[in-house]
Amino acid sequence: SDVCSSDLFPSHDSYPFLPGSAKVPSQFTIYTLVKDQEITLVTRVKSNSNLPARAFTLNLFDHVKFLEMRRYGLYIEGILLGVLLALAIFGWYSAFQNKDRTSVMYAVWIMFALLSASSLRIYDGMRLVEFYIDVEGARVGRVALTHILITVFAYGQSMGYVLFARNFLDLKSRMPGVFRFTNLYIALSLAHMVVVLFVDHGLGLKALW
């Protein structure tokens, strides 16, 4: 009864074992404490069966200092996304003008890079649901739709770079052995993505990689 008392949990939104409420815009729960006050915090985490966790660390932050540091992080994010957006615009313009495979592969790679960088979950929220579409809580089977999209963007960026590089360097005619290796890399990457997303393998992260 002591653990569940209202003295420990300021509202039902921060009560443990319950999903976050729409009233809480952040993935974090904020506790306002007076000097020398103590609370008991109870947590429970259910690991993804595809990537079972081996350890769990509960992180606590000073909210005021955290917000100040986050302000500088937003500047860095804005610069990065601005550069990628400009590259994506010019990349697709070049692809439509030149209509060659190398330009198209470059534009595809940069587009995936922009989507990946602007949709990741970081320490104060998920950019995917903030910048694009709110699919928080939606699932495909047992897998969260947000996890599927973020994973597809990340793998697409990785494979897109290889497709662009091998066209730019003309590996098919200059280095056919390396070109065949890139085909193997792309096939293995696609297979690995499917395993990560949909196969209930029970392997640890290191073993999977």
Side-chain angles (χ1 to χ4, degrees):
S1 60
D2 292 338
V3 172
C4 300
S5 68
S6 59
D7 293 336
L8 301 181
F9 306 107
S11 71
H12 291 292
D13 293 328
S14 58
Y15 184 77
F17 313 145
L18 296 177
S21 167
K23 299 176 183 177
V24 183
S26 171
Q27 62 177 316
F28 298 105
T29 299
I30 299 174
Y31 295 92
T32 302
L33 307 179
V34 299
K35 185 178 179 180
D36 298 327
Q37 180 184 0
E38 295 183 0
I39 66 169
T40 300
L41 182 62
V42 180
T43 64
R44 183 176 66 182
V45 176
K46 183 177 181 181
S47 178
N48 187 323
S49 60
N50 290 47
L51 296 173
R54 301 303 181 192
F56 170 68
T57 302
L58 183 65
N59 296 313
L60 302 176
F61 301 94
D62 183 314
H63 189 61
V64 176
K65 294 181 179 179
F66 177 84
L67 290 179
E68 183 64 18
M69 292 178 62
R70 183 69 198 111
R71 183 164 61 90
Y72 295 107
L74 286 173
Y75 297 156
I76 297 174
E77 281 185 61
I79 292 171
L80 173 62
L81 296 183
V83 170
L84 288 173
L85 179 59
L87 289 174
I89 292 172
F90 287 115
W92 282 109
Y93 176 79
S94 176
F96 283 115
Q97 289 291 107
N98 299 324
K99 294 181 173 60
D100 65 293
R101 182 174 295 182
T102 301
S103 298
V104 172
M105 289 297 100
Y106 175 80
V108 170
W109 166 46
I110 292 298
M111 179 59 69
F112 271 112
L114 174 63
L115 291 172
S116 181
S118 59
S119 62
L120 293 176
R121 178 185 291 279
I122 58 176
Y123 49 80
D124 67 342
M126 179 175 285
R127 296 292 172 258
L128 175 68
V129 300
E130 294 175 353
F131 289 164
Y132 297 108
I133 181 172
D134 186 3
V135 290
E136 191 77 53
R139 308 186 76 81
V140 177
R142 293 187 300 172
V143 185
L145 181 56
T146 52
H147 180 57
I148 293 175
L149 293 175
I150 289 173
T151 302
V152 168
F153 293 158
Y155 279 79
Q157 189 274 141
S158 178
M159 291 183 287
Y161 173 75
V162 173
L163 291 171
F164 159 68
R166 74 179 191 174
N167 280 279
F168 181 76
L169 299 173
D170 194 16
L171 292 182
K172 190 172 185 178
S173 60
R174 297 175 183 270
M175 302 179 71
V178 177
F179 180 81
R180 287 193 292 270
F181 176 79
T182 61
N183 287 333
L184 177 62
Y185 166 81
I186 292 171
L188 289 176
S189 294
L190 287 171
H192 194 270
M193 181 179 68
V194 172
V195 170
V196 167
L197 288 176
F198 301 113
V199 177
D200 191 4
H201 48 73
L203 297 173
L205 187 59
K206 290 183 179 180
L208 181 63
W209 282 110

